Amino acid sequence: MDRNQEIALTQMGKSVEKLGSSTESYGEKTLMRFLIARSMNPEKAAKMFCQWKKWRAEMVPLGYIPDSEFADELAAEKIYLQGLSKNGHPVVIVKSNKHFPSKDQVQFKKFVVHLLDKTIASSFNGRETGNEKLIGIVDLQDITYCNADLRGLITGFQFLQAYYPERLAICYLLNMPQFFVTVWRFVCCFLDKATQEKVRIVTSEEQKQEFIREVSEDVLPEEYGGRAKLVLLQNVAVNY
């Protein structure tokens, strides 16, 4: 860590205290995520951190949300947790043709938190370091208008932006049908530039090969060019 980063961390800590909170029990790598997300501005990072702490206490009072709260979502067997990429990032796959918009948005938001928390926790080597990132793969194969969940997509990405800063390494969109191009353009209106730059739409053979190299054949299922089997989210045990 360079001198400028150390100064920014110190200033952020003081700003957090002025806001009536504390950075105690949070490591430098965790705090740096907030600084990076706010262009190394200590005051803005402190505000984001305090908002995150308040949200976290209300949304996840136990520190995690158990699988048992999401029987319906998990029964759809639409999300898979594949292990770690070649760079050590947990890889989560969403099969969009098995997803339908939720009628209970509060419960759906909790499910998004559960999904992100569990994905990140699957990369812990004994304990959290604070700067773990994830790779998301959204498979749009065979989706119809019934599966196109605008609100759900926006919620997922906005949660990543607001409450999981610098947690997304990259998100791949596979097999995008023509009608979804318009949907995605609309979703992008709600994403900041940094998030949009982390999304890659895979179409060409060259892009597919790069995708396989970046993620790793060891964790990608056979249908995506890898050697692994699909592993359902609920079949993965993690320590939060």
Side-chain angles (χ1 to χ4, degrees), residues 90-110:
V91 177
V92 61
I93 298 174
V94 180
K95 284 186 170 287
S96 301
N97 64 354
K98 295 184 177 182
H99 172 76
F100 295 92
S102 174
K103 295 178 181 178
D104 185 341
Q105 284 300 306
V106 173
Q107 186 69 0
F108 179 74
K109 288 177 180 180
K110 291 178 68 176

Side-chain angles (χ1 to χ4, degrees), residues 116-154:
L116 294 174
D117 281 0
K118 190 168 186 177
T119 300
I120 293 165
S122 70
S123 69
F124 294 170
N125 185 14
R127 64 186 182 85
E128 181 179 7
T129 61
N131 63 348
E132 295 88 353
K133 294 177 181 285
L134 65 88
I135 291 176
I137 300 173
V138 181
D139 184 0
L140 300 165
Q141 183 76 44
D142 297 329
I143 67 165
T144 67
Y145 287 100
C146 294
N147 307 118
D149 186 2
L150 270 171
R151 184 184 292 184
L153 263 175
I154 293 169

Side-chain angles (χ1 to χ4, degrees), residues 12-235:
M12 177 184 170
K14 291 179 179 177
S15 294
V16 169
E17 289 178 1
K18 288 180 181 178
L19 292 170
S21 189
S22 170
T23 58
E24 188 178 355
S25 78
Y26 294 96
E28 292 179 345
K29 291 181 178 180
T30 294
L31 301 178
M32 276 301 301
R33 289 193 291 107
F34 290 87
L35 277 166
I36 293 170
R38 289 296 175 263
S39 303
M40 298 304 292
N41 183 305
E43 289 75 24
K44 290 182 179 179
K47 182 179 179 180
M48 185 185 195
F49 177 77
C50 290
Q51 289 172 338
W52 168 76
K53 280 186 70 177
K54 182 177 183 294
W55 170 83
R56 190 81 190 169
E58 295 172 352
M59 180 67 81
V60 198
L62 299 178
Y64 72 98
I65 308 176
D67 288 355
S68 58
E69 290 201 24
F70 309 106
D72 291 342
E73 294 284 359
L74 296 175
E77 298 189 348
K78 59 188 175 183
I79 300 180
Y80 304 84
L81 196 49
Q82 293 299 119
L84 305 183
S85 72
K86 70 174 186 179
N87 292 324
H89 305 316
V91 177
V92 61
I93 298 174
V94 180
K95 284 186 170 287
S96 301
N97 64 354
K98 295 184 177 182
H99 172 76
F100 295 92
S102 174
K103 295 178 181 178
D104 185 341
Q105 284 300 306
V106 173
Q107 186 69 0
F108 179 74
K109 288 177 180 180
K110 291 178 68 176
F111 180 66
V112 171
V113 173
H114 168 75
L115 168 60
L116 294 174
D117 281 0
K118 190 168 186 177
T119 300
I120 293 165
S122 70
S123 69
F124 294 170
N125 185 14
R127 64 186 182 85
E128 181 179 7
T129 61
N131 63 348
E132 295 88 353
K133 294 177 181 285
L134 65 88
I135 291 176
I137 300 173
V138 181
D139 184 0
L140 300 165
Q141 183 76 44
D142 297 329
I143 67 165
T144 67
Y145 287 100
C146 294
N147 307 118
D149 186 2
L150 270 171
R151 184 184 292 184
L153 263 175
I154 293 169
T155 294
F157 278 106
Q158 288 189 330
F159 271 31
L160 278 167
Q161 291 177 167
Y163 306 122
Y164 295 83
E166 295 302 306
R167 287 297 203 187
L168 179 64
I170 190 167
C171 178
Y172 294 96
L173 302 184
L174 309 181
N175 305 309
M176 182 182 287
Q178 187 59 41
F179 86 85
F180 200 83
V181 173
T182 303
V183 174
W184 179 245
R185 285 175 182 161
F186 181 78
V187 172
C188 284
C189 295
F190 297 86
L191 309 186
D192 59 35
K193 183 180 178 182
T195 300
Q196 291 187 44
E197 290 175 347
K198 293 176 182 178
V199 178
R200 295 184 190 174
I201 301 173
V202 179
T203 53
S204 69
E205 185 59 34
E206 182 180 351
Q207 291 170 332
K208 290 176 184 177
Q209 291 306 313
E210 181 184 356
F211 158 69
I212 293 170
R213 286 194 300 271
E214 288 294 317
V215 179
S216 170
E217 293 181 1
D218 292 335
V219 296
L220 276 176
E222 296 169 356
E223 63 191 277
Y224 303 126
R227 296 189 292 267
K229 301 295 184 183
L230 284 167
V231 182
L232 282 167
L233 176 70
Q234 57 265 43
N235 290 345

